[in-house]
Amino acid sequence: MAGYERAKEEHEDTMKRGDAKSHLAARAIATQQSASKSKWLATTGTGSLMSFVTARSMKIALLPIPQNDNPEKEGFYMEEFQKQLSNQVHLDVLVKEGNHAKAILKHVADNVGVPDGMTMVVSNRDDYLKEAKDRGMITCRIQPLNSRRGNVTAHYNVKTLADVEEVVNEINGISFNAVFKMR
C-alpha cells in the first residue's frame, strides 16, 4: 500500500506542477541564445511527459520525420530541444535524421538496449506506428480531436501528450483512474 501511496503522490505532484517549469527553462535558454526567429518550443505537454518518463527511469528516444525535406535543419531543432530540457529530461537516443522509419527504429532498438516488446512508440505518423507494430513494440497514436484518422491501428489512442501518462501508468500496472473511480 505504501508503494501505491507514493506513486499516487508522485502523480498528483506531476499534475500540479504542469508544464510551466519546462517552458520557462526553455524560454530562458532560447533568450540567452541568438535572437533568431527559427527558435521553437515543443508542443504543450511534451516537457511534462518527458519529465514524467525520466522520473520513472524509462529510456527516451527522440526521432525525426523520415524523408524530411531539410534533415539538417530538423536535426538542429532537435538538438536545441534537447538543450532546452536538459535540466529535467535525459534523452538516451537522439536520431537527427533518417530516410525510413524501419531503419530509424532499428537504430533506436540497437542503441537503447530494451527488448522490442518492452518499448512503446508514441507518434502520430503511420510509418513509425506500422514499423513499431511489425517489430512487436507497443504503439500509442496521438490523435487530437477532429484530426485525420490514421491507416494503422495502434494499441493505444490518445488525444493529447498528457494522456500518454495514463497509458504509461496502465502499462506499468498502475491505473489511477480505476482507483479514483472507486472513491
Side-chain angles (χ1 to χ4, degrees), residues 3-140:
Y4 163 74
E5 290 296 325
R6 182 170 176 235
K8 181 177 150 188
E9 243 177 65
E10 284 179 10
H11 177 70
E12 288 172 356
D13 287 346
T14 302
M15 296 306 287
K16 287 178 191 173
R17 281 192 308 244
D19 233 13
K21 184 177 178 182
S22 299
H23 279 284
L24 290 174
R27 283 192 179 102
I29 291 169
T31 56
Q32 290 171 357
Q33 296 171 356
S34 68
S36 167
K37 292 185 180 183
S38 65
K39 299 289 181 206
W40 60 278
L41 295 174
T43 306
T44 301
T46 304
S48 178
L49 173 63
M50 294 177 95
S51 295
F52 174 83
V53 171
T54 297
R56 279 146 184 80
S57 301
M58 298 172 133
K59 296 186 178 191
I60 301 173
L62 188 60
L63 311 177
I65 297 171
Q67 300 172 342
N68 186 5
D69 293 337
N70 195 344
E72 295 83 20
K73 188 174 184 179
E74 184 174 12
F76 171 77
Y77 287 152
M78 292 172 77
E79 287 176 340
E80 290 295 307
F81 176 64
Q82 184 178 21
K83 289 177 191 173
Q84 291 171 3
L85 294 176
S86 63
N87 293 337
Q88 295 97 10
V89 174
H90 173 71
L91 291 178
D92 296 281
V93 177
L94 175 66
V95 183
K96 294 190 283 185
E97 59 184 78
N99 291 328
H100 302 286
K102 186 174 188 172
I104 293 169
L105 288 177
K106 181 181 181 338
H107 173 77
V108 170
D110 292 345
N111 288 286
V112 171
V114 176
D116 287 346
M118 296 180 69
T119 301
M120 181 168 73
V121 174
V122 179
S123 181
N124 63 348
R125 298 186 50 86
D126 282 342
D127 50 357
Y128 277 131
L129 296 171
K130 179 187 179 321
E131 290 303 325
K133 278 187 80 172
D134 289 350
R135 289 184 66 96
M137 296 174 171
I138 300 165
T139 55
C140 180

Side-chain angles (χ1 to χ4, degrees), residues 115-179:
D116 287 346
M118 296 180 69
T119 301
M120 181 168 73
V121 174
V122 179
S123 181
N124 63 348
R125 298 186 50 86
D126 282 342
D127 50 357
Y128 277 131
L129 296 171
K130 179 187 179 321
E131 290 303 325
K133 278 187 80 172
D134 289 350
R135 289 184 66 96
M137 296 174 171
I138 300 165
T139 55
C140 180
R141 178 186 294 278
I142 299 174
Q143 185 177 351
L145 200 60
N146 299 325
S147 68
R148 176 185 75 78
R149 186 172 162 244
N151 294 324
V152 177
T153 303
H155 295 103
Y156 298 92
N157 288 302
V158 296
K159 291 178 179 43
T160 66
L161 276 173
D163 295 338
V164 176
E165 288 184 19
E166 292 178 24
V167 173
V168 170
N169 285 332
E170 183 176 324
I171 290 170
N172 282 329
I174 301 171
S175 178
F176 290 104
N177 289 338
V179 173

